[in-house]
Amino acid sequence: MAANRRNADSRNGKSSERSSYSKYKTGKRHQQDVTEKTSAWSMSNIARSCFIFALAIGISYFHRNHIAGMFERDRHFSHLSSLEREISFRTEMGLYYSYFKTVIETPTYLEGIYAVSHDNITEYPDTINTLKRFNLYPEVVIGGLYRLYEGVNAYLGYQTKQCWTVNRGDDLPPVPSCEGLGDPAYFYVETVFTLNGAMMGLFFLFGTYLSGSLFGGIITVVCFIFNHGEATRVQWTPPLRESFGYPFLVLEMLIITHVLRSKDPGLLKYSLLIASACVPFMLFWQFAQFALLTQTMSVFGVYVLQFIDKRKIKVILIGQILGLLISYILLFRNEMLLTSFYASCLLTVALIVFLEPVLNILRLRIIIWIGQGVLLCGCTVGCKLLLAKLFNVQDDKHIGDIFRSKFSDFRNFHTMLYICAAEFDYIDKTTLILLMKTLLIPSAVIALLAITFMVLKREYEERKNTDSIENSSSKNNKSSSKHKEHAELVYHVFQTLAFTAMAVCIMRLKLFFTPHLCLMASLLASRDIFSWIGKKEWHFALLALLVAGSSYQGLANYKKQMGILGEFNNVPMEELIEWITTKTPHNAVFAGPMPTMATVKLCTKRPIVNHPHYEDAGLRARTMKVYSMYSRKPEELVHKNFLDLQVDYAILENSWCVRKTKPGCMMPEIWDIEDVENRGKTPVCMKLKEKPGPYFKRVFRNVFYDVLKVLKS
């Protein structure tokens, strides 16, 4: 019996060992399977990411070639002389480019930076820091890159440009022309086109990330290309600040989107990332503060609706505040940044977040919303007025006047100069019709409605399931730190509405509106939002139909842009520049229409007293004195204005005396608003055209321009 038990135990022991070994082998095989599947998924994910980034690079290359090709075909830029290329940069463009020339023409790079930060040519006789006033960091950076490029190639003995003589015909003399990155104008515009090519690749990645689908990124790019003329003007105006600033806004919005989507974004890491995108945006474009203001208010709206907690909004606020302070320092303590509505809004939102425990005592959510809204509006406006008075800043007063003129019958000289320009008018019907025909507006509206429906539905279901938890939390006076889904979508809804309002009021701001509609259109590819469609195949078939429908007008728009052919020619301006260069002393001071003054400074390096950068109160006062030549005031008063400004020569552009873009926008009519007592009299410009004496003497005339010497006695 004992032997039998021992044998049985031995068999049971062996059986148990075999069973344990079998389980061990099964578990090991299962672990290997899981590891292999994880490894395969990881490899697949890496391959997908590599494919997406490769596609983004290809899109960047395509867009760079697209805008560079349009620029070349419009002006035949490659065959223009250096002078013609500079003349083609009209108004603000010529002013900005002139500082790039300054940086590359001084003996050393540091001397170039010193020259632009101690400039006595732009607003003679005053010495101003143009790097602080005009957001010239792009010119400083590109100028440094150009000097490095030329230095390295000179050391290696490589040729950087090819030059030849171009016969222009029409009895015009032949001109030398150079092509290649060694030519300053070529290097400058190529840098702009490369940056904006990269922006399109980033836009593709943004659409892909936001929608969670590769097709979303493709739709974003297709919509942008189909509506290119309404989305950007970099192909026509490379030196404008938006060409440098907007790509960094896209990057910054992508970071904000990721922060809102993440469950637990690191405070230090993401605050620094946000600041690193905000800084170049604010350094490169003076309008950045207004775009960021709408962003702060949009994020605040997400916070108010409790889609994010105070920890997450702190990440964004700290990043924005840090970016603002760094920009303030790098712009030589530019007071306009600290006294902006953006800075005041940041401080107000930070205060409201700090007061969250106090506001939660009110318990009723609607009462809390009212309290937050009153604090936001009241404290932002109050803080703005207090800071402006404290720093004695009046430079941005005209912006308030522009918006005031939009919603009332208020008018003055400065606002009329803005609202008479088409780009500062309300958005035109043609733009809206084009965006409708390409199905961009309908696509964005569908996306907005779908997001709203989905968020409201899930919010209702979540509220229904968590009432008891919320009641318990409110009794303990603790704010919920729960991560709620789709905070980034709610943010983009608010941001789209903000950009829409901006574009409706000022047509120029459609450059924010149209690209963001393209981004919202990407959400049509989101399986999360449109899961109710059913199978993926049906969903993607509908997307294919959408692209096909939009391509009818979109391809027509694309072909129209590709078909623009021109050749830049401005002989009257060439004659004027040639006369100034050869017939006037180097220290002769000029005054005249703002666009013309930028060209005079760029091409002749003569001192000027006014220019197109109209954001400074002192400059606006100077320009008003210069433009008195288009008023109906007495000639002796106009003459005195020029003497006060120490002007030697006044350039009279004859067309300005009679030209009007809309009723009430002829220069003498604009003056009638300010100068009531002289209404009905003959404009001074008419008198000066016929008989400049006794206060002026005509020394040059061609078909467009008269140059009048200001007589000193």
Side-chain angles (χ1 to χ4, degrees), residues 109-129:
Y109 182 57
L110 291 179
E111 287 181 71
I113 296 176
Y114 182 85
V116 297
S117 60
H118 298 77
D119 180 283
N120 65 346
I121 302 296
T122 306
E123 293 181 11
Y124 183 87
D126 295 347
T127 297
I128 62 172
N129 186 345

Side-chain angles (χ1 to χ4, degrees), residues 548-598:
S550 65
S551 66
Y552 178 77
Q553 181 64 43
L555 289 176
N557 294 345
Y558 178 79
K559 290 177 181 177
K560 183 179 178 180
Q561 278 200 321
M562 295 293 286
I564 295 175
L565 296 174
E567 186 165 353
F568 179 81
N569 194 329
N570 192 345
V571 175
M573 179 60 79
E574 281 189 60
E575 293 173 347
L576 174 64
I577 295 302
E578 179 67 21
W579 183 87
I580 293 173
T581 304
T582 59
K583 302 296 183 180
T584 65
H586 288 287
N587 60 350
V589 182
F590 283 80
M594 290 185 286
T596 305
M597 286 302 95

Side-chain angles (χ1 to χ4, degrees), residues 464-589:
K464 192 174 180 180
N465 295 330
T466 60
D467 275 343
S468 59
I469 299 175
E470 289 184 352
N471 290 334
S472 174
S473 176
S474 64
K475 288 178 181 178
N476 293 324
N477 289 327
K478 293 180 181 178
S479 62
S480 173
S481 61
K482 182 181 178 181
H483 171 77
K484 293 174 69 173
E485 292 183 334
H486 309 305
E488 75 281 4
L489 298 183
V490 177
Y491 157 69
H492 280 287
V493 169
F494 287 142
Q495 190 68 77
T496 303
L497 295 176
F499 285 160
T500 301
M502 291 164 61
V504 168
C505 291
I506 299 177
M507 186 172 67
R508 181 180 181 180
L509 302 184
K510 69 182 180 181
L511 304 178
F512 292 106
F513 168 65
T514 307
H516 214 78
L517 291 186
C518 299
L519 196 60
M520 295 304 293
S522 73
L523 291 168
L524 295 179
S526 171
R527 290 294 298 159
D528 189 24
I529 299 174
F530 293 94
S531 57
W532 51 268
I533 291 178
K535 295 182 179 179
K536 283 186 178 181
E537 291 78 6
W538 297 351
H539 189 180
F540 295 145
L542 290 174
L543 293 178
L545 285 175
L546 171 69
V547 173
S550 65
S551 66
Y552 178 77
Q553 181 64 43
L555 289 176
N557 294 345
Y558 178 79
K559 290 177 181 177
K560 183 179 178 180
Q561 278 200 321
M562 295 293 286
I564 295 175
L565 296 174
E567 186 165 353
F568 179 81
N569 194 329
N570 192 345
V571 175
M573 179 60 79
E574 281 189 60
E575 293 173 347
L576 174 64
I577 295 302
E578 179 67 21
W579 183 87
I580 293 173
T581 304
T582 59
K583 302 296 183 180
T584 65
H586 288 287
N587 60 350
V589 182

Side-chain angles (χ1 to χ4, degrees), residues 425-442:
D425 203 349
Y426 293 103
I427 194 168
D428 61 338
K429 292 181 181 178
T430 305
T431 297
L432 296 176
I433 290 171
L434 283 173
L435 297 181
M436 290 291 290
K437 285 184 176 180
T438 58
L439 303 183
L440 181 58
I441 289 179

Side-chain angles (χ1 to χ4, degrees), residues 25-77:
K25 288 185 68 179
T26 301
K28 191 171 183 180
R29 280 198 304 271
H30 177 71
Q31 187 176 3
Q32 288 176 343
D33 290 343
V34 170
T35 303
E36 288 173 1
K37 287 180 180 178
T38 303
S39 177
W41 179 86
S42 179
M43 291 298 293
S44 174
N45 205 35
I46 292 172
R48 182 178 181 273
S49 298
C50 289
F51 174 74
I52 290 174
F53 277 104
L55 196 56
I57 293 171
I59 289 170
S60 298
Y61 181 73
F62 162 77
H63 192 242
R64 178 262 158 216
N65 290 342
H66 182 52
I67 55 181
M70 283 191 286
F71 181 76
E72 167 64 23
R73 288 189 297 273
D74 178 54
R75 307 185 188 200
H76 210 184
F77 196 71

Side-chain angles (χ1 to χ4, degrees), residues 164-229:
W164 53 81
T165 300
V166 176
N167 294 313
R168 299 188 291 172
D170 296 329
D171 298 325
L172 297 174
V175 292
S177 179
C178 296
E179 188 175 6
L181 291 178
D183 181 80
Y186 249 95
F187 189 93
Y188 185 90
V189 298
E190 181 58 39
T191 305
V192 177
F193 296 148
T194 301
L195 175 62
N196 282 269
M199 185 277 294
M200 185 55 66
L202 181 63
F203 222 55
F204 163 74
L205 294 175
F206 199 166
T208 301
Y209 178 75
L210 184 63
S211 64
S213 168
L214 178 65
F215 292 100
I218 293 172
I219 288 174
T220 302
V221 174
V222 168
C223 288
F224 197 101
I225 296 300
F226 283 175
N227 299 278
H228 202 275

